[in-house]
Amino acid sequence: MEYYAGTIWSDDPFEGYIGIEGGIIRDIGAGPCPEVPVRIGNIAASIIDCHTHIGDAGLVLDRKYTLEELVAPPNGLKHRYLESCSEECLVEDMRSYSERLCEVATGFIDFREGGTGGASMIRRATDKAIVMGRPLSSDFDSNEVDELLRLSDGIGIPSISDVPHAYIDSLADVTHRMGKMFAIHVSERIREDIDYVLSLEPDFIVHMCEASDEDMHKCSDADIPVVVCATSNLYFGKVPPIRRMDDAGVPLAIGTDNAMLCPPDILKEAAVFSSVARQQGCASEVAGKALFCGGSKCLITRNRIGWDVGDRMVPCVLDPDAIRVD
């Protein structure tokens, strides 16, 4: 049996150890390790970059853009770029970006534009992506959505301000019926109706920069994680309200968002998250928990994150000095 010691980033982080044999937790406890550990550091079930758009990795910005100019569908610069690039170019850019991203991250959750073609391209580029597809049709097309869900792990859509509600309802219904994930951007540019968003039963939501305290408490009550993309938010002049979400009890995760804005480095993104959290007076463990536990929470929203003897795990271990998130 191999032992790992250090900070165990479970639902309630503690200093201790785990013993793994055959990919199964055989021993776990607080305090000194009963044997010499093979690694000491930050021990997590996984490190997931919880929100990316890696399709725009090859886009080099020539000036400062507003949120609408850059990413608003369908005519934002990013969308025009994706339409103009060859499939070969996009696949190669995504492959290169994802390889660098996964030097640390176990995997990443990508909101992949381009319908079934976009989902196929990212599958060609990497096997590390949890693919959240986005249909191309402006009207709900059950055949397209069925095929898209066959190729992807779920559906990830823009905000409810960008897509008709009837269309969103249909997407959410078929996604849940097929047992796939559903996620959505929320209150990034303006405050949006959180009651409607939660009625869609998302597995997680992204941003919440313009959300009210009441909105945050509703997310907490529903146990819905929020992915914070601090670097992207700050680029657009938005400060993610990390302290307010943490005070409300919202489960938090970290994402790098658009590849054209952020380097493929979840540790650097965690440092930006940590800086914002510290400025807002958050407790030191908030950033670490978002980094080391947020991915598991997003991927299994309605299930317990397993850290008990008998649970299957291939631990992700970072050296103590590999990152400073507090």
Side-chain angles (χ1 to χ4, degrees):
M1 182 160 57
E2 294 184 334
Y3 276 92
Y4 302 83
T7 303
I8 309 296
W9 287 98
S10 63
D11 279 342
D12 295 304
F14 62 93
E15 296 299 315
Y17 58 88
I18 58 171
I20 307 286
E21 185 175 42
I24 303 293
I25 298 178
R26 302 298 184 186
D27 191 11
I28 185 167
C33 189
E35 297 183 11
V36 177
V38 296
R39 290 283 302 277
I40 297 174
N42 293 295
I43 303 166
S46 61
I47 297 177
I48 304 294
D49 188 333
C50 292
H51 183 62
T52 66
H53 293 272
I54 71 167
D56 53 47
L59 176 56
V60 178
L61 302 183
D62 57 353
R63 63 175 176 85
K64 181 80 171 182
Y65 288 84
T66 66
L67 184 63
E68 293 83 355
E69 289 175 329
L70 193 56
V71 300
N75 297 316
L77 176 62
K78 178 187 80 170
H79 298 283
R80 288 184 277 120
Y81 169 80
L82 293 175
E83 290 179 0
S84 68
C85 281
S86 70
E87 181 173 319
E88 292 74 18
C89 178
L90 290 174
V91 169
E92 183 54 39
D93 286 343
M94 286 192 287
R95 178 180 294 116
S96 175
Y97 191 91
S98 64
E99 286 175 353
R100 289 179 289 155
L101 182 63
C102 291
E103 288 175 2
V104 173
T106 312
F108 59 99
I109 304 174
D110 193 78
F111 278 40
R112 183 78 273 268
E113 302 89 348
T116 57
S120 296
M121 280 189 275
I122 195 170
R123 290 298 193 202
R124 286 172 53 197
T126 178
D127 62 357
K128 299 294 186 180
I130 297 96
V131 180
M132 306 295 286
R134 183 185 300 179
L136 279 176
S137 302
S138 56
D139 296 316
F140 182 78
D141 181 335
S142 60
N143 291 329
E144 179 196 19
V145 174
D146 286 350
E147 178 65 10
L148 180 59
L149 285 169
R150 185 186 68 79
L151 293 169
S152 63
D153 299 290
I155 296 290
I157 63 173
S159 73
I160 61 173
S161 301
D162 298 322
V163 185
H165 285 199
Y167 185 52
I168 299 174
D169 292 340
S170 296
L171 284 176
D173 287 345
V174 69
T175 303
H176 293 314
R177 189 165 63 249
M178 292 183 68
K180 298 296 184 83
M181 298 171 63
F182 184 80
I184 185 169
H185 300 75
V186 180
S187 295
E188 180 181 12
R189 178 173 56 87
I190 58 173
R191 183 189 175 197
E192 293 167 318
D193 184 356
I194 197 64
D195 292 317
Y196 173 64
V197 170
L198 295 179
S199 75
L200 300 168
E201 300 184 11
D203 289 273
F204 64 91
I205 59 180
V206 186
H207 295 310
M208 292 286 280
C209 294
E210 299 298 328
S212 70
D213 289 349
E214 183 180 5
D215 296 340
M216 295 171 188
H217 280 285
K218 288 179 178 179
C219 288
S220 176
D221 291 343
D223 197 30
I224 300 300
V226 173
V227 182
V228 175
C229 305
T231 297
S232 173
N233 294 156
L234 293 170
Y235 175 90
F236 294 116
K238 303 288 186 180
V239 180
I242 298 170
R243 171 65 183 271
R244 290 169 52 217
M245 288 191 282
D246 182 60
D247 285 349
V250 176
L252 297 175
I254 297 174
T256 53
D257 207 356
N258 293 95
M260 61 189 169
L261 297 177
C262 297
D265 190 335
I266 190 62
L267 301 187
K268 286 186 177 179
E269 187 62 31
V272 177
F273 179 108
S274 178
S275 176
V276 174
R278 187 171 58 248
Q279 291 171 22
Q280 294 176 358
C282 289
S284 61
E285 68 269 14
V286 170
K289 193 167 185 179
L291 174 64
F292 295 117
C293 303
S296 295
K297 190 66 177 176
C298 287
L299 295 176
I300 51 172
T301 302
R302 296 171 179 83
N303 299 296
R304 179 185 60 83
I305 300 172
W307 277 98
D308 292 337
V309 171
D311 288 332
R312 181 168 294 279
M313 179 183 289
V314 177
C316 183
V317 185
L318 287 182
D319 293 336
D321 58 352
I323 181 174
R324 302 289 183 184
V325 294
D326 54 11

